[in-house]
Each structure stands twice: as C-alpha cells, then as structure tokens.
Amino acid sequence: MKIAIVGTGYVGLVTGTCFAEIGVDVTCVDTNSEKIESLKKGIIPIFESGLEEMVLRNTKAGRLKFTTSLESCLNDVEVIFSAVGTPPDEDGSADLSYVLSVARTIGRNMNNYILVVTKSTVPVGTAKKIRATIQEELDKRGAKIEFDVASNPEFLKEGNAINDFMSPDRVVVGVESERAEKLMSTLYKPFLLNNFRVIFMDIPSAEMTKYAANSMLATRISFMNDIANLCELVGADVNMVRSGIGSDTRIGRKFLYPGIGYGGSCFPKDVKALIKTAEQNGYKMRVLEAVEEVNELQKSILFHKLSLQFNRDLKGKVIALWGLAFKPETDDMREAPALILIDQLLKAGCLVRVYDPASMDECKRRIGDSVYYARDMYDAALDADALLLVTEWKQFRLPSWAVIKKTMNRQVVLDGRNIYEKKEMEELGFIYSCIGK
C-alpha cells in the first residue's frame, strides 16, 4: 500500500516512519524545503528516542521518502494523512488554515479515489469542512471523482512515541463509508498481531475522543495539583494521599503526580480548543475552565516558594534550573513551565543558570542569551543560591549531593517534581521543599 503523510512535525514524522517500518510505502510531504532536505540526509528535526535510527533504516530501504510536493504523489497513493499543525488562535479555537489548505491542494490535483485521513487534533465538525473544501475544488474543475474523509486521532506520548504507535492501547478511526473502513482496516492489519483494538466509530465521535482524552488527563493533573496545595496548608502528605486514592481501581494511579503544571503541544491547546468548541455551541465547560486556571497558577508555584525562602528579595540571587523541557525524553518546550519560571526569575533580578539534556538549543532559540547555559547539571549548580528541579530527567535522580553542597552558595533545593526525599535531603544539610508536603 502507498500512502502520503502531509506534515513532518512530531505526529507526521513518527506516523510516516512507523508505517514504513511495517512495510508501507510512505511519502512524507512538507512545504519547508530546508526540513525536507535535512530529512533526506537523515537529520531529524525533533528529539524522540529511536526515531533517527528508524528513519535512516526505512529511507535506505526505499520505503520512506520525502518531498515538498503533494501534487507529485497524489496519483500514486490511496490514503493521505493530514498531520499539519492546528495552532490555537487568539481566542483559543484551533486554527484550521493549514488543514484546509491541504484539502484544497488535494481537490485541485486529485485524479483518482483518495481517502483523506485527519491525523491532526481538530475540533468536531472539521471533517465536514475538509469534505466541503475538496468538493468545492472538484466542482471548480468540473471533475467527478469519488473520495472519502476519515478521522484517526493520534495518542502518542512524547518520549515514548515509537512504542505508542507500534504497540498502541487502541486505534480510534472515524469513518463514514465501508470503503474507507476497509482501507483503514488493511492499513492497520499488521498491528492486529499485537491483539490491540481498532475502534471504528462515526467521525464526530472520533474527533471528540482525542479532545476528551487529553482533557481528562489534564483534569487529573490539575486536580492533584489542587490537592497538593491544600495538603501543604493542612499538614498532609500528597504522596500518601496519591497512594491512597490510586489504589482504588476506579481511579487508578496514572496521572496523579503533583508538580508544576502541564505543558507541551497537546494538553494546553486541546483544553482551550474544547472550551472554545463548547462556547461556540452555547455551552460552558466549567470543569475544564477550572483545570486551565489551576494549571496556569501552578506554573508559578516554584517561584512563589523561592520568593518566600528569600523573604521576597531575589535581586542578584543565582538560581539554577535542572530541566527545561515540559517533560523528560523530549526537547519540546511548548507551554513549558520552565519558560514562565525563567521569565519570573529574570524580572525579579535573578541570575539564571540552566541545564537540560535535550532542550538547550530549543531554549536558546526561544529566549536567547538571557540565561547561562551550563555544560552539565553540576555546572548549573555552581555558586547557586538555590537549585530548582523543573523536569524529572533520570540523570537528575541520583546526583552527587556532596559535590553540589560544596559548590552551591546556599544549600536550597526546590523540587518541582517530588523526586527526592525530604528527610534524606535535610540530613544531607539542604533546605528542601517540594510540592504537597
């Protein structure tokens, strides 16, 4: 089977590469010629474990190709996945301009039946707009060519995307014809050997499923952060509370970890978009509005703890940050709590030293040379008045505290991810604070 993937961002590149890995002939399309030329040379624009090796292997085998021209491959493919960006507009709604641009290109140039599958996260009703856009272009040409649209939302976790695609919990597919369902069944058939489910449903339900899933996970995070903040006020330990409620099988243990708020490319954008979709339909998502509010406040919690530690006088203080990415195993800093924290520290007159195993270049691209980019985590802590753990990378779990204690100016550690033990840190001679204790 031959398919095309439009968009070589995180979702598009992972999707195309994984399909190529199981033997599908894949052409990845992007309007960014520099990115395409880099991909042809095996230079990967994103950090994702295992992706580079897989791209090189499938490119060499001829199963994975890259081009800037969607028109050039339209007559050769049966299925086109649209994985272009849907950034939030100023009002929080999803910007569909890229999605509809792809639809227009397809309508203007297609000559055979094509199944157009939306992989991007899009609001309910987008498939209808895609169908109307393609049909409008066909009508302009006076062409009568059959086509189908479908929805196949992605559920990839950054840092574990390859495994998520190759061994998914489920695959959700929204279709409106038997022909489309048969094509998608054929495409995903190799994965059935792993005994997972392909769940077919109507397109609006598939479009809604992605938003509902991400919004539920975001809700759990904000709920636990709210509980953690209350635990601090009443003298409870949020880790004990999390263990107690997580043992209830109706609740489970996942996404119950308190911290400094969620970020990334999905949760913030999708929560905003779902709130906006409800608003456009005369409904108010009161729970999600609270989820968003709690999350924005939580991104400032380390700064407030630090400010109290130094009696609200942070001018001239040297502050070390361990971690910049919104989560480990990625270089993604979109909506990362670190960005808000750095901005607050700089405005307070702090000298900021940062280290992240993957996101240093991305941070420099975003904020320039306003901070010191350390060689390693020990260099970041050198002469620091306080060390703030922002992203829970594995290499931060067991540092040489004896070395850090000697090189820091003051032994203050604020743990934004609760990966250290308070008793142990205090025994080592550190002033320690975390979330929810």
Side-chain angles (χ1 to χ4, degrees), residues 109-256:
N109 297 278
M110 64 184 289
N111 294 303
N112 307 302
Y113 171 87
I114 290 176
L115 171 59
V116 182
V117 184
T118 304
K119 199 71 177 170
S120 309
T121 302
V122 295
V124 177
T126 300
K128 290 182 179 179
K129 294 179 181 179
I130 292 172
R131 170 172 285 284
T133 300
I134 294 173
Q135 190 61 56
E136 181 182 348
E137 295 299 330
L138 289 174
D139 291 343
K140 289 178 183 177
R141 295 166 53 194
K144 293 185 178 180
I145 304 170
E146 290 187 11
F147 68 94
D148 274 310
V149 294
S151 175
N152 179 210
E154 55 84 18
F155 297 95
L156 306 176
K157 296 186 293 293
E158 291 192 38
N160 196 49
I162 300 295
N163 185 61
D164 282 347
F165 196 98
M166 302 302 282
S167 301
D169 295 326
R170 77 293 197 200
V171 173
V172 172
V173 182
V175 293
E176 55 187 12
S177 77
E178 289 185 12
R179 187 173 185 178
E181 182 172 337
K182 186 176 180 180
L183 265 177
M184 293 299 285
S185 295
T186 301
L187 187 58
Y188 277 110
K189 188 176 181 180
F191 297 98
L192 294 174
L193 298 174
N194 295 328
N195 295 316
F196 76 88
R197 294 186 300 161
V198 178
I199 306 173
F200 284 99
M201 59 182 69
D202 61 274
I203 292 177
S205 296
E207 291 172 332
M208 177 60 80
T209 296
K210 170 65 175 180
Y211 280 108
N214 278 355
S215 294
M216 172 58 78
L217 296 176
T219 298
R220 287 171 70 94
I221 292 170
S222 281
F223 173 77
M224 282 310 297
N225 283 334
D226 235 5
I227 292 295
N229 294 338
L230 183 57
C231 282
E232 287 193 25
L233 295 173
V234 301
D237 183 337
V238 73
N239 286 337
M240 297 297 181
V241 175
R242 179 176 59 80
S243 179
I245 65 174
S247 60
D248 187 326
T249 56
R250 295 169 300 176
I251 297 172
R253 299 180 182 276
K254 294 183 178 180
F255 279 80
L256 291 183

Side-chain angles (χ1 to χ4, degrees), residues 225 258-262 295 298-299 301-302 337 389-390 416-417 435:
N225 283 334
I260 54 175
Y262 58 77
N295 191 61
Q298 198 70 14
K299 288 181 179 181
I301 194 166
L302 278 188
L389 187 284
V390 179
R417 300 296 181 180
I435 310 297

